[in-house]
């Protein structure tokens, strides 16, 4: 090994500084820190980094949350302890480079000429032979041959012999320097681009992380960063037709606002899709306004094709709804909501108050999708995909703050040959949606269903129908008891009312609890049958449904409508919101990065790669030849060493020596 | 002192052959550039040329590789011709259906690799020259049909839709095949150079494991279906980043299997020095050195791959390093082998310790390759199980 480790007995005479440098530059420390860094890096891959703090709190509970926060586990790679390990590695490598560079440079050039015959004889690759020629002639020829094989040569005439020193692959030593210097360079570049300076400023109290959700104009001054040289990576969502001059830098559980030296306007955001519905491309047309520009710069960016402008890189990173305008019809399902359709105009991400009866609600639109490509439940092949059209997601929040979440489709969906409006409901994101199917009438609307619902709620009509039904039924059994008639009529009206409020579940429960056990078994089914009969009569009392011959389609519609009404109590919302029209406005999620250290890092990478290939694939090889005139002729002793690949170098030296031996003294 | 270099084969082919080979490759590269003139951007032209240079370089002294390249070219051209413009043709075209269409080609590759593994071990136990030759041929055939499968799959993806078409290195299924092919090729390179047939079975064991996994993945998860590319992967960077990475993975896998062989033999040398295996296997010194050479190669390419990854990330994600789990694990793998190399070079460690370390290295590499996709989430989520 080349490392001339200085005699350790001299250690005590070293100054303190020398000893510190020896410690940090020691190989053991270097290898240890390489491995510690590797192990430390694992931590941040196991725990997802830089998530909202609320998520961590839920995951770990308040106790561990604080401990992990103190340990910097939510942002391991800029935590103090991680950076310390990295710094240790950089210091160690720097000292290593500083210590070794002088000797490496010497090794790169110096051809050692102080070797004795004895030292050549103990080298692994040696050989000797005798030639009948003049010593000088042998020396010149051998030197020429070595030069031809890529060696640098030098000869030295000694007392009784000539020593030829030859070397090739000296750049291998440069490889060492490049490789290790690269580590230092890359880390410095990385440091320039890290958020360390920002953390420093925060620690100094110059800036303050904002944790509240505020409009930009209300964010206090100490959370603003002016345009400057500092590195940052920030995000902004800009709706189509809007612009921004700021980027949000997320820091721990909050953010900072970074001013940009230009204004970015988003003209249009587009997603293209493959036939399978998966996204094919995300593109944004943007315009940059800058006082330095004679004309605004209009361009299109997409994933993998950022705009680099004035040292800032603008990337397509995400997208969201930019407040699409929605036109919704609110169909009443519940007496609180009245009888008529109410049109509503709102926007995605907007919350509007709602009043039903005496109660106040909030309607929060959470999402809008212009189309939904999902597996088709009615296709034979489960893998077949179908576009289910636009949908809206929203929450209806009561005064107490509880909210149910809904997902409504704009277009009717086919199921068993009939069409339904579909609405999913759930009480927490952890649940699956349960679906309400509202049957669509012949005209393709909800009017038929709505009419039926209103009819059921019309107490006078129901009472009339019940009375009529009683008369008819009792006529068949010839009973004229007025009391029985009245009580039966009341029961029928009540059953209908009960059904309207609580579906079949409520009716069944009533039968179970209010009737004596003995009677409930016989009377129960009779009650249910009567209820169904009532519902049928109510349905056919609707003018249009009445005087035709009852067809199968109508019966099916009736059945579907009864099913739907039966499941309304579980639906929770007093209205059904049907999207009628929309104006899709998207927001493009842009990432703006300013990374002045980038080119330093790239320089380091280039140096690293060059260095590594030099180290591995340009072995340094030295050959010494001693040419000596002796009585039997001129003897040649050749020996070679390499700093790498003993097997390969054996064959290399064998080849070289073979070439040298070709010279037998005769001139070419 | 006598030098025994009988195990090294660094013979060069006749200059004429070398020049003809370089000429053919240059011509082929030019043809590709002319045919796909409209498709190729400047980066892809650079990639075509780099590929051509590496093929020319690999083949100039390596007859088997030349034969392999020619066979791959001819077979792929036949398949592409047969396909003409329609994917459905494969269903009733015998040649495509049973041999050349990518799923069939990969199945053949799998079978051949497993046969090759078995044959290598047979050759090792019976020390038969013929078996050794056969195992090498089987491995070459496996690589050839695997490579054909990859090229044909590339074409097939374009037949599905012009916008779906992409190089088949984009998901876990495809890179498993790439892994098998590249690892085997690297092995064959060293086999020819150092005459180490007896190590073949060991190295191919890792490939067989990959093959078995890939078969399971195909049948259990329908992984062989060609999926369109997510926007983040639509970049010429993928064409170099992924193969460079797999040269790294392949060599690390090979080094670990040499490590296994090393440990086995050093154990046998103590416990049963007369054992047949001890005589049949390469010397411990050679295996130790091979382990170093292979890891060095892998380290160099892994460095290149990581740097390319950083360049790509700067373009696709807006930052050259974002401590994404895959990136971080690549760093861990890299640091591990950097430490390994230092131990060897500066502390002159060798032998059993380094062999164990190489074996452990495989598990670290495996986690970076598979574990990250299975257990961790991040930006590199292109292939989940
Ligand atoms: C991330 C950090 C580092 C990397 C990636 C790295 C990389 C390398 C590589 C690739 C080699 C060549 C090994 C071979 O030829 O097989 C090497 C050799 C070496 N490294 Fe490092 N190194 C690092 C840190 C250090 C540190 C901190 C030191 C000093 C304390 C150091 C000292 C050396 C020495 C002395 C050699 C031997 C050079 C020779 O004789 O060829 N390295 N390093």
């Amino acid at each position: 090994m080349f490392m001339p480790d200085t005699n350790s007995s001299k250690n005590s005479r070293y100054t303190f500084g020398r000893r510190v440098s020896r410690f940090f530059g020691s190989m053991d420390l270097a290898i240890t820190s390489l491995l510690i860094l590797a192990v430390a890096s694992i931590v941040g891959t196991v725990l997802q980094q830089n998530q909202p703090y609320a998520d961590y709190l839920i995951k770990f509970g308040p106790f561990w949350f604080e401990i992990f926060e103190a340990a910097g586990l939510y942002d391991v790679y800029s935590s103090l302890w991680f950076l310390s390990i990295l710094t240790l590695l950089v210091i160690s490598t720097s000292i290593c480079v500083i210590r070794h560079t002088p000797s490496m440079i010497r090794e790169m050039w110096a051809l050692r000429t102080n070797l004795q015959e004895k030292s050549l004889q103990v080298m692994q690759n040696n050989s000797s032979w005798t030639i009948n020629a003049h010593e000088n002639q042998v020396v010149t020829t051998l030197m020429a041959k070595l030069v031809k094989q890529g060696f640098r040569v030098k000869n030295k005439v000694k007392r009784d012999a000539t020593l030829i020193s030859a070397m090739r692959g000296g750049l291998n030593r440069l490889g060492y320097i490049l490789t290790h210097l690269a580590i230092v360079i890359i880390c410095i570049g990385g440091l320039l681009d890290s958020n360390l300076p920002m953390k420093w400023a925060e620690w100094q109290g110059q800036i303050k992380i904002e944790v509240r959700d505020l409009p930009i104009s209300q964010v206090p001054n100490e959370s603003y960063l002016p345009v400057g040289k500092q590195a940052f990576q920030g995000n902004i969502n800009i709706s189509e037709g809007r612009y921004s001059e700021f980027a949000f830098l997320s820091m721990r559980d909050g953010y900072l606002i970074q001013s940009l030296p230009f204004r970015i306007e988003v003209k249009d955001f587009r997603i293209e899709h493959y036939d399978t519905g998966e996204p094919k491309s995300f593109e944004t047309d943007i315009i940059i306004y800058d006082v330095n520009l004679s004309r605004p710069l209009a361009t299109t960016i997409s994933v993998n094709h950022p705009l680099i402008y004035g040292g800032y890189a603008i990337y397509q990173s995400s997208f969201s709804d930019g407040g699409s305008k929605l036109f919704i019809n609110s169909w009443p399902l519940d007496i609180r909501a009245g009888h008529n359709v109410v049109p509503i105009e709102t926007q995605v991400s907007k919350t509007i108050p709602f009043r039903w009866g005496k109660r106040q609600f909030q309607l929060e639109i959470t999402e809008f999708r212009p189309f939904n490509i999902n597996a088709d439940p009615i296709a034979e092949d489960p893998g077949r995909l179908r576009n289910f059209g636009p949908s809206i997601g929203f929450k209806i929040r009561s005064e107490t703050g509880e909210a149910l979440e809904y997902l409504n489709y704009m277009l009717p969906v086919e199921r068993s040959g009939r069409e339904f409006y579909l609405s999913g409901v759930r009480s927490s994101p952890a649940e699956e949606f349960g679906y309400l199917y509202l049957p669509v009438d012949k005209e393709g609307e909800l009017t038929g269903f709505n009419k039926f619902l209103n009819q059921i709620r019309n107490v006078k009509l129901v009472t009339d129908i019940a009375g009529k039904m009683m008369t008819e039924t009792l006529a068949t059994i010839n009973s004229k008891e007025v009391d029985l008639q009245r009580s039966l009529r009341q029961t029928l009206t009540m059953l209908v009312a009960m059904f309207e409020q609580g579906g079949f579940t409520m009716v069944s429960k009533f039968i179970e609890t209010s009737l004596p056990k003995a009677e409930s078994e016989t009377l129960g089914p009779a009650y249910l049958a009567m209820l169904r009969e009532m519902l049928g009569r109510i349905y056919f009392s609707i003018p249009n449904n009445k005087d035709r011959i009852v067809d199968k389609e109508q019966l099916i519609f009736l059945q579907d409508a009864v099913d739907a009404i039966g499941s309304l109590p579980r639906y929770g919302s007093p209205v059904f919101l049907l999207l009628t029209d929309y104006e899709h406005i998207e927001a493009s999620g842009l990432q703006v990065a300013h990374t002045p250290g980038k080119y330093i890092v790239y320089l380091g990478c280039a140096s690293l790669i060059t260095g590594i290939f030099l180290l591995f694939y340009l072995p340094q090889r030295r050959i010494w030849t001693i040419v000596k005139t002796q009585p039997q002729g001129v003897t040649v002793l050749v020996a070679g060493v390499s700093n790498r690949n003993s097997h390969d170098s054996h064959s290399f030296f064998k080849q070289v020596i073979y070439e040298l031996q070709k010279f037998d003294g005769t001139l070419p | 002192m006598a030098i025994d270099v009988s195990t090294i084969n660094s013979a060069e082919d006749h200059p004429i052959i070398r020049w003809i080979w370089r000429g053919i490759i240059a011509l082929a590269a030019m043809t590709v550039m002319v045919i796909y003139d409209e498709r190729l951007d400047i980066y892809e032209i650079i990639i075509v040329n780099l590929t051509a240079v590496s093929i020319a370089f690999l083949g100039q002294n390596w007859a088997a590789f030349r034969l392999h390249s020619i066979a791959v070219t001819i077979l792929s051209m036949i398949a592409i011709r047969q396909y003409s413009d329609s994917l459905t043709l494969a269903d009733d075209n015998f040649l495509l259906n049973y041999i050349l269409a990518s799923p069939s080609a990969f199945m053949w590759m799998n079978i051949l690799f497993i046969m090759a593994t078995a044959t290598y071990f047979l050759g090792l136990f019976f020390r038969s020259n013929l078996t050794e030759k056969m195992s090498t041929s089987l491995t070459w055939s496996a690589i050839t049909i695997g490579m054909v499968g990859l090229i044909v799959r590339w074409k097939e993806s374009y037949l599905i839709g012009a916008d779906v078409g992409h190089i088949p290195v984009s998901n876990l299924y495809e890179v498993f095949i790439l892994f098998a092919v590249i690892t085997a090729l690297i092995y064959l390179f060293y086999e020819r150079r150092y005459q180490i047939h007896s190590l073949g079975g060991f190295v191919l064991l890792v490939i067989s494991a990959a093959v078995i996994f890939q078969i399971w993945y195909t049948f259990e998860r329908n992984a062989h279906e060609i999926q369109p590319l997510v926007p983040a992967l639509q970049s010429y960077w993928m064409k170099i980043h992924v193969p460079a990475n797999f040269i790294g993975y392949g060599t690390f896998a090979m080094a670990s299997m040499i490590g296994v062989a090393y440990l086995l033999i050093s154990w046998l040398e103590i416990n049963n020095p007369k054992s047949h295996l001890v005589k049949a296997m390469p010397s411990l010194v050679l295996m130790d050195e091979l382990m170093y050479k292979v890891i060095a190669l892998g380290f160099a390419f892994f460095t290149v791959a990581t740097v390319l990854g950083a360049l790509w990330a700067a373009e696709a994600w807006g930052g050259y390093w974002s401590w994404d789990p895959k990136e971080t694990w690549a760093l861990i793998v890299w640091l591990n082998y950097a430490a390994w190399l230092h131990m060897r070079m500066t502390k002159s460690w060798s032998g059993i310790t380094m062999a164990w370390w190489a074996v452990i290295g495989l598990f670290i590499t495996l986690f970076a390759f598979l574990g990250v996709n299975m257990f961790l989430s991040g930006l590199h989520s292109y292939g989940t199980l």
Side-chain angles (χ1 to χ4, degrees), chain A residues 217-386:
Chain A
S217 54
Q218 286 172 30
V219 172
N221 259 341
E222 67 256 29
S223 303
Y224 271 93
L225 297 172
V227 174
K229 286 203 174 64
Q230 76 274 18
F232 67 84
Q233 256 190 54
N235 293 290
I236 5 164
N237 282 317
I238 308 178
S239 300
E240 287 167 323
R242 301 296 204 82
Y243 61 85
S244 175
E245 293 165 314
F246 303 98
F248 289 87
L249 319 185
S250 62
M251 296 279 284
R252 293 205 301 272
D253 53 341
Y255 59 89
L256 293 169
I257 290 184
Q258 169 72 52
S259 310
L260 302 176
F262 46 79
R263 169 195 284 190
I264 309 173
E265 182 182 332
V266 167
K267 289 297 283 182
D268 188 25
F269 171 79
R270 288 178 301 275
I271 310 181
E272 274 181 60
H273 294 266
Y274 293 110
D275 296 340
T276 57
E278 275 148 62
K280 178 161 116 189
S281 74
F282 303 107
E283 286 186 345
T284 309
D285 293 339
I286 57 171
I287 303 180
I288 303 288
Y289 297 93
D290 186 351
V291 283
N292 297 330
L293 282 171
S294 56
R295 207 151 44 88
L297 169 70
T299 181
T300 302
I301 59 168
S302 62
V303 179
N304 273 314
H305 302 280
L307 167 70
I308 313 282
Y309 173 73
Y312 292 77
I314 302 168
Y315 303 90
Q316 178 75 64
S317 78
S318 65
F319 67 95
S320 54
D321 197 284
S324 295
K325 289 195 182 128
L326 306 175
F327 304 92
I328 294 170
N329 273 347
S330 160
W331 289 85
L333 297 176
D334 187 318
I335 199 77
R336 288 170 288 169
H339 295 279
N340 301 320
V341 180
V342 182
I344 303 174
E345 213 187 296
T346 182
Q347 269 182 313
V348 175
S349 311
K350 200 164 144 182
T351 299
I352 54 173
F354 235 108
R355 180 173 285 282
W356 289 307
K358 290 198 178 65
R359 294 184 61 193
Q360 181 83 33
F361 289 87
Q362 303 229 306
L363 171 64
E364 308 169 9
I365 306 280
T366 50
E367 72 161 1
F368 164 72
R369 289 198 214 178
F371 62 88
N372 288 275
I373 294 184
N374 296 328
D376 189 346
I378 60 172
E380 305 256 294
D381 165 17
R384 242 195 65 144
L385 301 173
R386 196 170 104 189

Side-chain angles (χ1 to χ4, degrees), chain B residues 236-246 305-306 308-310 312 380:
Chain B
Y236 57 89
W237 285 109
M238 189 172 77
K239 297 189 172 84
I240 36 180
H241 172 63
V242 180
N245 250 317
F246 276 81
T306 311
L308 290 172
W312 185 7
H380 271 92

